[in-house]
Amino acid sequence: MMFRFFLNALFLTLPMALLAQQTVRGTITDKDSKQAIPFANILLKDSNPPIGTTSDENGKFTLSDVPIGKQTLVLSFLGYETFTLPNINVTAGKEVVLEINLVENFAALDEVVIVAEKRKEITVNEFVTVSARTLNPEQANLYAASIGDPARQVQNFAGVTGGGDDLNNEIVIRGNSPNTLLWRLEGVEVPNPNHFTRLTGGSVSMLSANVLAKTDFFTSAFPAEYGNGIAGVFDLRFRKGNNQKRETTIDVGVLGLGFSTEGYFSKKSKASYLVNYRYSTLGILEKLGLNLTDGFNPTFQDLNYNINLPTTKFGTFNLYGLLGKNKSNSSETEDENINGNPSTDNFTNKTESDESTFITGLGHRVFIKDQTYLKTNITYSSNDAKKNDVFQNSGVVGPLESESFDSKSEAFRLSSFINHKFNSKHTLRSGFTLSHLKEKNTLSFTDKNDDGTLSTSKDEINGTANVFQSYVQWKYRMTENFTLNSGLHFLHFGKTNSSAIEPRLGLNYKLNNVHSLSFGAGLHSRAEQLPLYLTKDATNTNFLNTNLKLSKALHYVVGYNWRINKNTLFKAETYYQHLFDIPVDNSGETGYNAINAQSFDIFEIAETPLTNDGKGRNYGIEFTLERFLNKGFYYLSTLSLYDSKYKVGNGNYLNTRFNGNYVFNLLSGKDFAVGTKGNKTFGINAKFVLAGGQRFTGIDEAASIAGQTEVFSTTPFTEKVKAYYRFDLGINYQWNKTKTTHNLSLNIQNITSRINTTELDYFFDEVTNRIVTIKSEQNGLIPVLKYSINF
């Protein structure tokens, strides 16, 4: 009722005249050198009378009076490939500000022949050859149930799946652990930017689609500048705020209340700011004294910002950052077992969790001379987690048993590279990253003694380490149809004094304008999470794992692209990955293996020496058929068939935790122009996913019956949960008023309300002496309603 009243009151205050045009402006640069391209031609396709302009000496252009709706720009300049930018969403509430990169022709042309070509699969990074995909912020509302979360969006791509949990946006790439994904923001490694997690997955992204620019996502054989990652790379970027107009976006929805603002500091300056803040709806209701959850109350808030400060002589500076905080409180009372019989182990468990992530950085880019620029970043990041569990037998008054965990991870990083474009054939980039890592972990127990008194014990894992990385990569366009990307990456981990030199290679060959082949290969290494190397022996004097090598993986990829028509692409990739030098517990006491690590708890292997005897192999084939958004219609279909195995020492290859064997995605959507004035759009999107279930270590029923307690199989990951499938539906309605754009969306996750199972749903029942399946804690149908206004 309050929400409806708010909408009615808001609409009554808005002018009703329709604004039929908006401004589209931007900057045009060379893709390799980032040098501005002056006097390029910009034409609004199918405009009558024609709407067009040219860029000024700084590569900037402005198109006024552009009609509202999906528009297409055609850009051309002598000596460069003509570029078509389709599906630009022009609305009344916000100016469209673009950064466009043009690719220089292999040889200079005497004249320009405009042949519009839609190349939406081209990545932001110019050194990419294979296994990469660009994520456009506008896809935040395009894919059903993605709810503006970039992690959920990439789960629709070939080779990517979630962790089999409806509430978790874990990213599993080609059977690799989510721990081995490299997250980057503005070109620098950062912690996992998700709420309610420490290392993998998370329930809600801390990043807003309102601040993100085009982003690259890699699934294998990535270029030499990316290091300290094995599975893939999520290379996130913030966009610049509007430096000519102040604009605001307000979001109200099930997830939270958001406020985004951008604009200029002074009209005499080209500097801009962009800030987005969000507070969870459950947190707001809690402040009002309302609790809509049963025994579990999660709240969160996050802040994203990017301040862009260009200067006339000293280049461009940008101050950017991310802050995320989340809390959860839960209370659970166990007073009967699953069969309704009274339990002898009745207890009450109260859990309090408090986590925060902070990332801030100062970036600088300056042109040293034509075709050469230097980019530098200085960053600080921290990840704090506090968790407290209190246990008490039901009805018993007395001292409480408890377990508390307090962790803080910090990283200081200096990163810099220089990029030089020699000509249309050769581009070279070289850089380095120096990281200082700091870790502090404390685990405390309060246990009840036989005499009823309490005793407290404490384990601590603290320490620091330095990481040095450097690289050089070269892009060579041998011919107009053949491109070579090659490079070397060097990684040195100071804590173990271990190093790796990693060659990288990528080839792309265009057979013609329709068919192309690609190949990628490379060695990739990674230092595991720092606490793994800080464990000590029973005397707490000697480090146990400082003799470990870096984890490594060899990637090989072959790809084929078939551009069926200007809007439709078919893509196939086959790959093989050999993982080696993986840290494992070779004694068999804990069964720890970094390949299967999911939510890593260092205290599980305290006082346990590890070795580099772990090996693994991932191989598979992937197919993608995609129709890019055109005339309001799109579809995306992917099929991934894969096998993921590991072994310890000279043992047999076994299934990894993440070996689901197959993933199938089918997405489609259509936008419809409604209303007589052309100012309204109605869109509907649907998604279906079918994936093989993750593996888990089965329960030995005979041994459990004999011992009257749950006994797990000695062979890990022998069992597999049922296949995971889900239908999602998204509905979106957008309308434009005078200087405002309104958007109302409803995303329904799991519209059939299927309850998918997880490994936690199976356990041994001591009363019936059998293995049983309980009702999963996963959610059924989840509706996410959101209203936003731009002005």
Side-chain angles (χ1 to χ4, degrees):
M1 183 65 70
M2 290 182 63
F3 180 67
R4 185 175 180 181
F5 174 78
F6 169 75
L7 288 181
N8 290 335
L10 183 63
F11 296 156
L12 289 174
T13 62
L14 296 175
M16 301 305 292
L18 175 66
L19 179 67
Q21 291 89 26
Q22 180 59 277
T23 297
V24 175
R25 59 187 182 84
T27 306
I28 303 176
T29 60
D30 181 283
K31 183 175 179 64
D32 294 319
S33 70
K34 308 306 179 189
Q35 195 76 22
I37 299 179
F39 313 121
N41 298 309
I42 302 98
L43 176 68
L44 184 67
K45 189 177 180 181
D46 299 329
S47 56
N48 188 18
I51 299 176
T53 187
T54 58
S55 58
D56 64 17
E57 63 273 10
N58 297 313
K60 300 183 182 299
F61 69 91
T62 299
L63 283 176
S64 302
D65 300 327
V66 176
I68 286 172
K70 291 287 195 300
Q71 303 295 343
T72 298
L73 291 184
V74 180
L75 301 99
S76 60
F77 184 66
L78 183 66
Y80 281 79
E81 297 178 4
T82 298
F83 182 70
T84 299
L85 186 63
N87 298 309
I88 303 170
N89 189 25
V90 181
T91 65
K94 292 176 71 71
E95 283 188 347
V96 178
V97 183
L98 303 170
E99 292 187 7
I100 302 171
N101 296 318
L102 297 185
V103 177
E104 188 176 3
N105 275 323
F106 185 77
L109 300 178
D110 294 328
E111 60 179 306
V112 175
V113 178
I114 297 179
V115 180
E117 184 182 8
K118 300 178 182 179
R119 299 296 306 277
K120 301 180 191 177
E121 73 276 16
I122 293 179
T123 56
V124 177
N125 190 300
E126 58 269 35
F127 292 87
V128 175
T129 306
V130 69
S131 295
R133 178 72 187 245
T134 294
L135 192 68
N136 195 310
E138 289 195 359
Q139 292 173 335
N141 294 319
L142 191 63
Y143 297 154
S146 63
I147 59 176
D149 186 335
R152 282 184 164 84
Q153 292 169 51
V154 300
Q155 289 178 19
N156 300 303
F157 300 155
V160 186
T161 184
D165 188 338
D166 292 330
L167 295 180
N168 194 15
N169 55 4
E170 201 167 53
I171 299 176
V172 178
I173 301 175
R174 293 179 172 176
N176 288 285
S177 166
N179 282 344
T180 59
L181 171 66
L182 172 64
W183 290 90
R184 302 215 318 180
L185 178 62
E186 291 293 304
V188 182
E189 182 177 351
V190 295
N192 179 4
N194 281 285
H195 289 292
F196 304 108
T197 183
R198 281 217 68 227
L199 296 177
T200 66
S203 299
V204 182
S205 175
M206 297 177 186
L207 294 160
S208 169
N210 293 330
V211 301
L212 287 177
K214 291 180 67 175
T215 289
D216 288 341
F217 180 73
F218 304 84
T219 56
S220 194
F222 25 95
E225 70 179 86
Y226 300 103
N228 202 30
I230 286 179
V233 181
F234 214 146
D235 197 6
L236 300 157
R237 292 175 174 86
F238 282 155
R239 67 178 179 86
K240 300 174 185 176
N242 193 330
N243 62 3
Q244 295 184 13
K245 181 181 178 183
R246 292 193 172 103
E247 298 173 329
T248 301
T249 300
I250 298 176
D251 298 318
V252 182
V254 171
L255 289 181
L257 173 64
F259 176 81
S260 176
T261 182
E262 60 183 289
Y264 54 85
F265 292 100
S266 168
K267 288 191 175 181
K268 297 179 180 180
S269 168
K270 297 180 181 179
S272 67
Y273 61 86
L274 172 62
V275 180
N276 187 93
Y277 175 75
R278 177 178 57 170
Y279 198 95
S280 66
T281 301
L282 290 177
I284 295 173
L285 295 176
E286 183 185 39
K287 298 292 185 183
L288 297 175
L290 301 174
N291 187 356
L292 302 183
T293 58
D294 183 17
F296 177 61
N297 190 23
T299 64
F300 66 87
Q301 55 184 314
D302 45 58
L303 174 71
N304 306 171
Y305 61 90
N306 187 24
I307 300 172
N308 192 59
L309 303 169
T311 67
T312 55
K313 296 182 179 180
F314 304 105
T316 300
F317 296 85
N318 70 304
L319 179 66
Y320 58 91
L322 164 69
L323 173 64
K325 294 180 66 67
N326 57 82
K327 294 182 179 180
S328 62
N329 301 304
S330 63
S331 179
E332 180 180 7
T333 300
E334 291 283 347
D335 56 5
E336 61 180 11
N337 66 19
I338 60 165
N339 299 296
N341 299 316
S343 171
T344 59
D345 295 323
N346 297 343
F347 68 91
T348 298
N349 176 209
K350 295 183 178 180
T351 302
E352 296 179 351
S353 177
D354 189 348
E355 302 174 76
S356 65
T357 297
F358 177 59
I359 302 167
T360 188
L362 177 64
H364 177 243
R365 189 176 76 173
V366 61
F367 282 92
I368 300 174
K369 59 179 182 178
D370 289 347
Q371 311 298 320
T372 305
Y373 69 92
L374 177 70
K375 188 173 182 180
T376 303
N377 275 285
I378 301 174
T379 66
Y380 168 78
S381 64
S382 67
N383 213 304
D384 294 81
K386 296 180 176 63
K387 184 178 180 182
N388 188 46
D389 284 311
V390 179
F391 306 89
Q392 183 178 29
N393 287 339
S394 300
V396 177
V397 179
L400 302 179
E401 299 181 36
S402 66
E403 175 182 314
S404 63
F405 176 65
D406 190 349
S407 170
K408 184 170 186 177
S409 303
E410 297 178 278
F412 303 85
R413 290 187 170 92
L414 171 63
S415 176
S416 184
F417 71 80
I418 187 169
N419 189 100
H420 178 67
K421 179 181 178 181
F422 293 92
N423 48 47
S424 62
K425 294 184 178 182
H426 300 279
T427 302
L428 191 69
R429 177 178 296 178
S430 181
F432 74 91
T433 300
L434 179 62
S435 305
H436 177 69
L437 311 179
K438 190 176 181 180
E439 191 82 24
K440 184 176 182 180
N441 296 271
T442 303
L443 182 63
S444 302
F445 298 93
T446 300
D447 297 314
K448 189 179 297 183
N449 301 319
D450 293 337
D451 60 1
T453 61
L454 297 179
S455 61
T456 301
S457 59
K458 181 185 293 186
D459 292 330
E460 293 187 336
I461 297 179
N462 306 321
T464 62
N466 294 321
V467 182
F468 176 73
Q469 301 176 71
S470 61
Y471 65 90
V472 60
Q473 54 190 31
W474 170 45
K475 178 181 177 181
Y476 175 33
R477 298 179 68 188
M478 295 183 181
T479 68
E480 191 170 1
N481 295 326
F482 189 62
T483 300
L484 164 71
N485 283 304
S486 60
L488 287 174
H489 185 97
F490 174 76
L491 173 62
H492 177 77
F493 183 52
K495 195 65 182 178
T496 62
N497 197 29
S498 53
S499 303
I501 298 176
E502 310 163 16
R504 312 282 176 87
L505 176 67
L507 300 171
N508 182 270
Y509 181 62
K510 297 179 183 179
L511 301 174
N512 48 46
N513 290 331
V514 175
H515 303 281
S516 65
L517 299 174
S518 57
F519 171 77
L523 175 64
H524 305 267
S525 61
R526 175 180 185 268
E528 301 295 332
Q529 297 296 321
L530 182 56
L532 182 144
Y533 305 98
L534 299 176
T535 57
K536 295 183 178 181
D537 58 18
T539 65
N540 199 34
T541 55
N542 300 312
F543 289 109
L544 294 174
N545 296 319
T546 52
N547 61 333
L548 290 175
K549 304 175 185 177
L550 297 167
S551 300
K552 301 181 183 69
L554 279 167
H555 290 192
Y556 304 95
V557 186
V558 176
Y560 164 69
N561 279 23
W562 173 22
R563 180 164 286 278
I564 299 173
N565 56 50
K566 63 181 181 180
N567 298 311
T568 309
L569 175 71
F570 172 78
K571 181 178 180 179
E573 282 192 355
T574 184
Y575 64 90
Y576 181 85
Q577 299 175 351
H578 171 57
L579 285 71
F580 59 102
D581 287 346
I582 306 299
V584 296
D585 175 10
N586 210 7
S587 69
E589 293 183 6
T590 66
Y592 176 79
N593 187 319
I595 285 179
N596 294 309
Q598 194 169 24
S599 295
F600 176 60
D601 185 353
I602 185 61
F603 291 100
E604 292 182 0
I605 57 170
E607 302 179 8
T608 302
L610 303 179
T611 67
N612 287 110
D613 291 330
K615 297 180 178 64
R617 64 186 185 196
N618 304 317
Y619 58 90
I621 187 168
E622 300 163 358
F623 304 96
T624 299
L625 178 63
E626 180 170 14
R627 173 191 163 97
F628 301 116
L629 182 65
N630 184 56
K631 296 182 179 180
F633 177 64
Y634 79 92
Y635 60 76
L636 171 65
S637 179
T638 66
L639 173 64
S640 305
L641 305 173
Y642 65 98
D643 192 54
S644 177
K645 296 286 179 64
Y646 81 100
K647 71 174 182 177
V648 177
N650 296 320
N652 297 322
Y653 274 100
L654 306 172
N655 289 305
T656 69
R657 179 195 301 271
F658 310 102
N659 192 20
N661 295 128
Y662 63 90
V663 184
F664 173 71
N665 287 292
L666 178 61
L667 300 87
S668 186
K670 173 68 176 176
D671 287 341
F672 302 90
V674 295
T676 58
K677 298 180 180 180
N679 64 322
K680 301 175 183 178
T681 303
F682 174 79
I684 184 167
N685 303 283
K687 171 187 173 181
F688 171 71
V689 57
L690 173 65
Q694 285 197 4
R695 310 277 176 164
F696 67 98
T697 301
I699 301 171
D700 188 328
E701 189 170 36
S704 298
I705 293 173
Q708 281 299 288
T709 187
E710 194 170 68
V711 179
F712 290 97
S713 170
T714 56
T715 304
F717 308 114
T718 54
E719 303 294 330
K720 190 178 183 182
V721 300
K722 295 179 181 179
Y724 177 96
Y725 72 80
R726 205 178 78 200
F727 287 95
D728 299 330
L729 181 67
I731 301 173
N732 186 74
Y733 181 55
Q734 177 180 286
W735 66 101
N736 292 278
K737 296 290 184 179
T738 302
K739 298 183 180 180
T740 62
T741 299
H742 306 262
N743 194 288
L744 184 64
S745 65
L746 174 64
N747 278 276
I748 304 176
Q749 179 177 293
N750 197 7
I751 195 169
T752 63
S753 201
R754 170 181 165 85
I755 304 296
N756 290 293
T757 56
T758 71
E759 61 178 292
L760 300 178
D761 300 331
Y762 304 89
F763 75 98
F764 176 72
D765 180 15
E766 299 171 12
V767 177
T768 61
N769 276 333
R770 62 186 178 90
I771 299 172
V772 296
T773 304
I774 64 173
K775 183 179 179 181
S776 176
E777 294 184 359
Q778 297 229 68
N779 286 54
L781 183 148
I782 304 176
V784 180
L785 181 66
K786 177 182 171 183
Y787 165 75
S788 66
I789 178 172
N790 301 325
F791 57 92

